[in-house]
Each structure stands twice: as structure tokens, then as C-alpha cells.
Amino acid sequence: MKKNIVLVFIIVITTITSAQTKVDTTAILSLDKIAQVNQGESYVTFPFDIGNLEPLLFEANVSPNFKIRERKDSRLMAVLTSQIIIRMFDEYSYPVKTPSYIPQIAFYFLTGHKESANKLTLFGKIAHHSNGQNGNFYTENGDINLQSGNFATNYIELGFLKSSYSQNLKAFKFIKSSFEIHPKSWMLEELHGQYSGLRWHNTFLAYKLPMKTNPLPNEKQRANFSIKAETTIMLDNFNNWNYFDAKRLNASLILYYHPKFLEDIGFFVQFYHGMDYYNIYFQHQINTIRFGIMTEVLRF
């Protein structure tokens, strides 16, 4: 009788340990995946949106990433990104006006224990943002030249990413906070005093994995749903705005759904409020709801 009880006890302990190992393996994120989450996704919007954005056929973000590292388990890695944002306007000849070119290099350092489910990653970024135009910044009547006016700035971004895993919800969670700094000597002179050079970004992301009871060993799972909430507060003195002016706040919420019948893309809806991020259009205040498709090649 005692032998049977001991045998049952050993089986139960082995089962629990095996299940715990599987959960822990799922919960462990590599630096590669953490960087991929932070670098963002490519997307294309549909031609119907709600709000005050100029009529568009689409907006597209093309953001390929090139990783630089010694090996897959390195604590330190760099990511080169040649990001381009383009808008095709719903006008005669369907022009693509002043695309945003944002080449950048980001550095990531993973702190703490590599096998921990909760991780803290430090990162820094150096980036350039321009529109590839060389016309005068202002028109003859003193307005900003949206058609061919030169826009250019360079900046650094410093921050951290805190990642964790919820076993009950089978979801990965990320919290990001960073400061974006545009030194005046790195910025076009015409932007001084009217383009924010100090910004505080805060982001929350969650990726919901499917509730599979018996995933295969080493099986990579794709998130069916994700949510991304972002805020940016502009902290410096520009446009003579009061420090508590609501226009200093940019906010975005993206809800993403990845249906089973699609491989690497899914559908998203975005709610955006704040300053236009499309280069020389920065003085426009946007309130819009947009729909589109987004790449999602991330596997956990």
C-alpha cells in the first residue's frame, strides 16, 4: 500500500514539474523577440477613416529590420531599420506627398537572468527623420510649405522595456517608457520653437496567445489578439503653449486581430489623437479612427 502511495506521489510530482517546465519555456522571451516587439510592425490603412485626417487612399508604414548580434543568445544586439511612411492622397493623379524617411539604429541590452519570465531590457536609438524635399520651408504668404518644404531632424531615444507573462491569461505584457531628445543643433533651424524636441513616450502592449491545452514541444504560437496603448507628452517649451495644454498629449490605441485563415497579416483598428507625425504636417492636430491590415510575424 505504501509503495503504491509513493508511486502515485512520484507520478503527480513528475506531471506537475513537466507542465511547469512547458509553461516556463513558453514564458521565456529572447532578446530577439523583445526587440521585435519594440521595433513595430508594417501596415497599410484602408481608404475609409473617420475624423479630420486629409482624404487618403492609404497610409503605409514599411519597416524592415536587420539584426546585428554575435549569436542568438547574446545579451547585446543592434537593429538597423530603414523605416518609410507614405501617404497616397485622394486627389487628382493620387499623389504621394513628402514621404517620411526614418532610418535608425537601435541598441538593446538584456539585464537579469536570461531564463526569467520577467525581463528588463534597456535600449537606445539614434534616428533621422526627413521628407526628402529641398524647397523653402515657408510659402510666399508665410504658411508652411506642405508640397515641397524641407523638413529634417535627428534625435536620440533612451528607455526601457519591462516584459512579463500571465499564465492564467496566456498573454505576454510589455511596458515601455522612454525619452526622445532632438538637440537643436540636430534640427532644421525653421523647426526651432515650433517642433517639440523633448518627448516622453509610454506604451502598454499585450499579446493574447490561443488557449491550447497540449501545445507541441517547441511549438511557436502566434497571438490571436493584441492591444497597444501609447501616450506621448511633449515636455519642452514650444509654440508658447502652456505646460498643461491638452495639445501636448498624443494618444493612440490599436486593437489587432489575427484570424486563423491568414498567415502573416491581420486586421487592426486605431484610435489616434494628437499632433500629426507625418514630417512637415506636424502642426496639424488629428482625431481619427482608422482601419487596415498589419504584418504580424512574431511567434512566441
Side-chain angles (χ1 to χ4, degrees), residues 57-75:
L57 286 184
F58 67 84
E59 177 181 297
N61 178 51
V62 182
S63 190
N65 298 313
F66 304 90
K67 301 165 189 171
I68 305 171
R69 58 188 174 185
E70 186 177 355
R71 56 183 185 273
K72 285 188 176 181
D73 62 345
S74 296
R75 286 186 178 274

Side-chain angles (χ1 to χ4, degrees), residues 222 257-267 293 299:
R222 181 184 63 197
Y257 170 60
H258 195 147
K260 293 181 179 179
F261 59 85
L262 293 177
E263 178 59 24
D264 290 332
I265 61 171
F267 302 101
I293 57 175
R299 301 289 186 273

